[in-house]
Amino acid sequence: MNKEKIYILAIESSCDDTSAAVLCNSKKLSNVVASQKIHEAYGGVVPELASRAHQQNIVPVVDRALTIANIDKKQLSAIAFTRGPGLLGSLLVGTSFAKSLSLGLNIPLIEVNHMQAHILAHFIEEENMIKPKFPFLAMTISGGHTQLVLVHDHLKMEILGETLDDAVGEAFDKSAKLLGMPYPGGPLVDAHAQKGNPLAFKFPKPKVPGLNFSFSGLKTSILYFIQKQTAANPEFITDNLDDLCASIQYTIVNILMEKLKAAVKQTGIKRIAIGGGVAANSGIRNALEQAEKDLGWVAYIPKFEYCTDNAAMIGIVGYYKFKDREYSGYNIAATARYEIG
Ligand code: KG4
Ligand code: ZN
């Protein structure tokens, strides 16, 4: 084994992106993502179709990742893969592939928790990127997750709160659907929101104790509100689209910021690291910038490539686990539910 350079091949297949990456220590050499467009027509991810697409994509995606990295399979130190959480049929594809390749190459197999990977994405070495200092608070916000985590060290973290129902990205996407927008509507809501008045309409915020989240009630209240308004004016949505998007985004961002403020109060930690697709949202970015000025927070947002599902973030967990000799046995199985810690 080369002591200086650790080469990790990482595989991610938890939802609808098939991804493979090669890392040399904490540096990314390649990060290939094949996104599945097929789900757009269904307004959400269809698990059966996702597994089938992973089967088709996995070999070419891994091949491409190795080619871009200019690394031969024989140079690899270990294979890291997403064990969960996620869609079981999707996870099975990556898990089986990783096991077979590790067995074939006779190199260690390393299982990775997808949620831990979203957090460690902040540690992929990049120019101009500042890594958060421990301890810090991490908030992972995407179409599949909403989680608030206290991070003590690379591999030591505890969940402070999470969603009890929908993920925040789902709240954006379902609201967008009610407004007649295609899936995934989050980025479209964001674009319209920037032209609208966030105080035009008021939507109730959920009353969830502690640091947990809930977004399903918001969707219902938006639905009733729109039904009532369009009964009086069939053009209500078209006439008010920017203001509706701005008001919905304002409500969602407020929910996230209130929980973050409560977590800062509870822990006394002001370093906040954000990840997941919703980290692209202009509302949350502005709110964090404001909190840096007003409350002395330090906010960290990785490159967008590392916010959305990708294998480089699996690779960085693989790297830290490899250094600790945290290898997996071949009886390891994919798991749809998988808590951090
Ligand atoms: O991390 P991601 O690519 O996939 C997973 O869900 O794991 O996140 C996708 C989610 C979708 O719900 C999408 O609508 C949302 O992130 N999203 C946004 C924005 N960009 C992506 N939501 C609000 N504003 C955005 N700018
Ligand atoms: Zn994810």
Side-chain angles (χ1 to χ4, degrees):
M1 185 179 67
N2 189 328
K3 276 210 169 78
E4 306 249 278
K5 288 188 172 165
I6 297 163
Y7 290 103
I8 306 278
L9 170 69
I11 314 280
E12 154 66 29
S13 72
S14 65
C15 189
D16 60 340
D17 294 308
T18 318
S19 182
V22 178
L23 267 69
C24 175
N25 298 340
S26 55
K27 240 179 128 180
K28 172 205 73 172
L29 300 183
S30 63
N31 188 26
V32 178
V33 183
S35 298
Q36 304 175 3
K37 294 274 170 235
I38 192 160
H39 307 286
E40 279 172 19
Y42 298 89
V45 177
V46 184
E48 277 284 321
L49 297 178
S51 325
R52 211 176 300 170
H54 283 306
Q55 289 274 18
Q56 288 166 335
N57 293 341
I58 191 120
V59 172
V61 163
V62 168
D63 215 35
R64 183 110 192 92
L66 288 167
T67 305
I68 293 172
N70 198 19
I71 289 293
D72 188 86
K73 289 192 288 293
K74 294 189 182 77
Q75 291 173 267
L76 294 173
S77 316
I79 315 276
F81 71 98
T82 307
R83 183 185 171 206
L87 301 170
L88 193 65
S90 290
L91 290 164
L92 282 173
V93 178
T95 304
S96 306
F97 183 90
K99 277 188 187 187
S100 313
L101 194 58
S102 133
L103 201 58
L105 295 171
N106 195 25
I107 53 174
L109 177 70
I110 300 172
E111 58 105 354
V112 172
N113 180 312
H114 179 93
M115 299 309 295
Q116 193 164 26
H118 268 300
I119 295 169
L120 286 202
H122 289 270
F123 293 88
I124 300 169
E125 224 172 284
E126 283 282 330
E127 250 176 71
N128 306 323
M129 280 298 297
I130 301 161
K131 295 172 190 166
K133 280 201 185 75
F134 298 111
F136 65 91
L137 296 171
M139 189 167 73
T140 307
I141 42 177
S142 77
H145 347 281
T146 309
Q147 203 167 63
L148 202 44
V149 178
L150 171 55
V151 187
H152 298 286
D153 204 348
H154 294 109
L155 299 175
K156 194 167 166 241
M157 30 188 98
E158 57 183 293
I159 298 172
L160 300 179
E162 57 194 333
T163 185
L164 304 174
D165 41 58
D166 289 349
V168 61
E170 275 181 287
F172 271 107
D173 297 338
K174 288 178 179 177
S175 305
K177 199 174 172 187
L178 293 173
L179 301 177
M181 293 171 176
Y183 173 85
L188 298 170
V189 171
D190 191 2
H192 282 284
Q194 290 174 49
K195 297 178 279 175
N197 173 10
L199 305 175
F201 307 107
K202 201 167 160 46
F203 298 107
K205 275 182 277 172
K207 291 187 180 62
V208 188
L211 297 176
N212 287 329
F213 302 83
S214 167
F215 290 100
S216 62
L218 176 66
K219 175 193 63 194
T220 313
S221 69
I222 294 169
L223 172 68
Y224 289 156
F225 177 73
I226 286 173
Q227 277 175 346
K228 198 171 151 204
Q229 297 298 324
T230 44
N233 169 17
E235 300 303 316
F236 176 75
I237 292 178
T238 326
D239 291 350
N240 298 280
L241 192 57
D242 293 344
D243 286 350
L244 278 166
C245 289
S247 303
I248 291 168
Q249 180 160 306
Y250 179 78
T251 310
I252 294 176
V253 169
N254 265 344
I255 295 171
L256 296 175
M257 289 303 291
E258 274 181 18
K259 293 294 175 176
L260 267 180
K261 281 177 189 162
V264 168
K265 197 170 167 203
Q266 185 178 307
T267 60
I269 297 165
K270 292 186 174 181
R271 286 178 295 277
I272 318 285
I274 306 291
V278 181
N281 183 263
S282 64
I284 190 77
R285 282 176 178 246
N286 292 340
L288 286 170
E289 222 170 86
Q290 201 58 45
E292 287 193 316
K293 285 188 199 132
D294 297 347
L295 307 170
W297 291 10
V298 184
Y300 305 86
I301 307 179
K303 258 173 79 179
F304 192 62
E305 174 187 359
Y306 304 136
C307 276
T308 53
D309 287 351
N310 70 92
M313 69 182 193
I314 306 302
I316 191 77
V317 182
Y319 167 68
Y320 286 110
K321 284 194 162 185
F322 186 88
K323 289 208 298 179
D324 282 3
R325 299 267 186 279
E326 271 194 49
Y327 307 149
S328 308
Y330 287 111
N331 58 348
I332 194 101
T335 173
R337 294 182 158 272
Y338 191 8
E339 290 277 289
I340 289 177

